[in-house]
mmCIF file of all heavy atoms in Angstrom:
data_model
loop_
_atom_site.group_PDB
_atom_site.id
_atom_site.type_symbol
_atom_site.label_atom_id
_atom_site.label_comp_id
_atom_site.label_asym_id
_atom_site.label_seq_id
_atom_site.Cartn_x
_atom_site.Cartn_y
_atom_site.Cartn_z
ATOM 1 N N ARG C 162 187.302 110.767 65.186
ATOM 2 C CA ARG C 162 188.507 111.124 65.960
ATOM 3 C C ARG C 162 189.680 111.414 65.035
ATOM 4 O O ARG C 162 189.827 110.789 63.984
ATOM 5 C CB ARG C 162 188.896 109.971 66.894
ATOM 6 C CG ARG C 162 187.887 109.675 67.974
ATOM 7 C CD ARG C 162 188.422 108.645 68.941
ATOM 8 N NE ARG C 162 188.548 107.327 68.330
ATOM 9 C CZ ARG C 162 189.153 106.290 68.895
ATOM 10 N NH1 ARG C 162 189.724 106.430 70.089
ATOM 11 N NH2 ARG C 162 189.215 105.135 68.286
ATOM 12 N N GLU C 163 190.522 112.319 65.470
ATOM 13 C CA GLU C 163 191.705 112.681 64.685
ATOM 14 C C GLU C 163 192.654 111.496 64.528
ATOM 15 O O GLU C 163 193.394 111.404 63.543
ATOM 16 C CB GLU C 163 192.434 113.840 65.382
ATOM 17 C CG GLU C 163 193.445 114.535 64.506
ATOM 18 C CD GLU C 163 193.985 115.816 65.134
ATOM 19 O OE1 GLU C 163 193.200 116.542 65.749
ATOM 20 O OE2 GLU C 163 195.196 116.065 64.977
ATOM 21 N N LYS C 164 192.606 110.578 65.460
ATOM 22 C CA LYS C 164 193.469 109.390 65.445
ATOM 23 C C LYS C 164 193.344 108.619 64.136
ATOM 24 O O LYS C 164 194.306 107.976 63.685
ATOM 25 C CB LYS C 164 193.096 108.496 66.621
ATOM 26 C CG LYS C 164 193.837 107.176 66.670
ATOM 27 C CD LYS C 164 193.287 106.274 67.762
ATOM 28 C CE LYS C 164 193.951 104.905 67.737
ATOM 29 N NZ LYS C 164 193.381 103.994 68.754
ATOM 30 N N ILE C 165 192.179 108.682 63.496
ATOM 31 C CA ILE C 165 191.941 107.886 62.286
ATOM 32 C C ILE C 165 192.875 108.312 61.149
ATOM 33 O O ILE C 165 193.181 107.519 60.257
ATOM 34 C CB ILE C 165 190.462 107.962 61.848
ATOM 35 C CG1 ILE C 165 190.124 106.753 60.948
ATOM 36 C CG2 ILE C 165 190.128 109.295 61.181
ATOM 37 C CD1 ILE C 165 188.641 106.539 60.735
ATOM 38 N N ILE C 166 193.365 109.554 61.187
ATOM 39 C CA ILE C 166 194.306 110.029 60.166
ATOM 40 C C ILE C 166 195.601 109.215 60.225
ATOM 41 O O ILE C 166 196.171 108.853 59.201
ATOM 42 C CB ILE C 166 194.607 111.538 60.334
ATOM 43 C CG1 ILE C 166 193.331 112.357 60.085
ATOM 44 C CG2 ILE C 166 195.715 111.982 59.382
ATOM 45 C CD1 ILE C 166 193.500 113.846 60.357
ATOM 46 N N ARG C 167 196.044 108.915 61.445
ATOM 47 C CA ARG C 167 197.313 108.193 61.634
ATOM 48 C C ARG C 167 197.248 106.754 61.147
ATOM 49 O O ARG C 167 198.259 106.163 60.780
ATOM 50 C CB ARG C 167 197.721 108.228 63.117
ATOM 51 C CG ARG C 167 197.940 109.609 63.665
ATOM 52 C CD ARG C 167 198.784 109.578 64.938
ATOM 53 N NE ARG C 167 198.190 108.777 66.003
ATOM 54 C CZ ARG C 167 197.320 109.242 66.888
ATOM 55 N NH1 ARG C 167 196.932 110.510 66.835
ATOM 56 N NH2 ARG C 167 196.837 108.464 67.840
ATOM 57 N N ILE C 168 196.037 106.182 61.163
ATOM 58 C CA ILE C 168 195.919 104.765 60.757
ATOM 59 C C ILE C 168 195.246 104.612 59.393
ATOM 60 O O ILE C 168 194.988 103.493 58.947
ATOM 61 C CB ILE C 168 195.143 103.953 61.826
ATOM 62 C CG1 ILE C 168 193.706 104.479 61.972
ATOM 63 C CG2 ILE C 168 195.881 103.977 63.162
ATOM 64 C CD1 ILE C 168 192.804 103.582 62.803
ATOM 65 N N GLY C 169 194.971 105.737 58.732
ATOM 66 C CA GLY C 169 194.244 105.708 57.466
ATOM 67 C C GLY C 169 194.877 104.815 56.411
ATOM 68 O O GLY C 169 194.171 104.121 55.667
ATOM 69 N N ASP C 170 196.206 104.818 56.342
ATOM 70 C CA ASP C 170 196.871 104.021 55.304
ATOM 71 C C ASP C 170 196.821 102.525 55.592
ATOM 72 O O ASP C 170 197.170 101.710 54.743
ATOM 73 C CB ASP C 170 198.324 104.481 55.121
ATOM 74 C CG ASP C 170 199.165 104.284 56.374
ATOM 75 O OD1 ASP C 170 198.590 104.005 57.450
ATOM 76 O OD2 ASP C 170 200.399 104.422 56.285
ATOM 77 N N LYS C 171 196.351 102.143 56.765
ATOM 78 C CA LYS C 171 196.232 100.720 57.104
ATOM 79 C C LYS C 171 194.942 100.099 56.554
ATOM 80 O O LYS C 171 194.821 98.884 56.461
ATOM 81 C CB LYS C 171 196.292 100.519 58.620
ATOM 82 C CG LYS C 171 197.620 100.921 59.236
ATOM 83 C CD LYS C 171 197.668 100.576 60.703
ATOM 84 C CE LYS C 171 198.946 101.068 61.368
ATOM 85 N NZ LYS C 171 200.167 100.538 60.748
ATOM 86 N N PHE C 172 193.948 100.961 56.208
ATOM 87 C CA PHE C 172 192.692 100.398 55.711
ATOM 88 C C PHE C 172 192.214 101.039 54.406
ATOM 89 O O PHE C 172 191.160 100.691 53.895
ATOM 90 C CB PHE C 172 191.588 100.479 56.783
ATOM 91 C CG PHE C 172 191.167 101.875 57.167
ATOM 92 C CD1 PHE C 172 190.152 102.524 56.483
ATOM 93 C CD2 PHE C 172 191.771 102.526 58.232
ATOM 94 C CE1 PHE C 172 189.743 103.802 56.839
ATOM 95 C CE2 PHE C 172 191.382 103.799 58.597
ATOM 96 C CZ PHE C 172 190.360 104.439 57.890
ATOM 97 N N TYR C 188 188.233 115.298 55.943
ATOM 98 C CA TYR C 188 189.099 114.131 55.784
ATOM 99 C C TYR C 188 188.811 113.105 56.877
ATOM 100 O O TYR C 188 188.657 111.897 56.609
ATOM 101 C CB TYR C 188 190.557 114.578 55.826
ATOM 102 C CG TYR C 188 191.577 113.515 55.519
ATOM 103 C CD1 TYR C 188 191.424 112.629 54.455
ATOM 104 C CD2 TYR C 188 192.742 113.420 56.286
ATOM 105 C CE1 TYR C 188 192.385 111.666 54.168
ATOM 106 C CE2 TYR C 188 193.714 112.462 56.006
ATOM 107 C CZ TYR C 188 193.528 111.590 54.949
ATOM 108 O OH TYR C 188 194.483 110.640 54.661
ATOM 109 N N LEU C 192 187.186 109.425 56.190
ATOM 110 C CA LEU C 192 187.883 108.221 56.650
ATOM 111 C C LEU C 192 186.998 107.395 57.580
ATOM 112 O O LEU C 192 187.002 106.157 57.533
ATOM 113 C CB LEU C 192 189.178 108.603 57.375
ATOM 114 C CG LEU C 192 190.373 108.982 56.506
ATOM 115 C CD1 LEU C 192 191.505 109.528 57.370
ATOM 116 C CD2 LEU C 192 190.877 107.789 55.686
#
Side-chain angles (χ1 to χ4, degrees):
R162 295 187 291 171
E163 195 171 321
K164 175 187 175 183
I165 201 166
I166 295 175
R167 299 200 301 273
I168 63 169
D170 63 348
K171 296 186 184 302
F172 65 89
Y188 187 45
L192 282 172

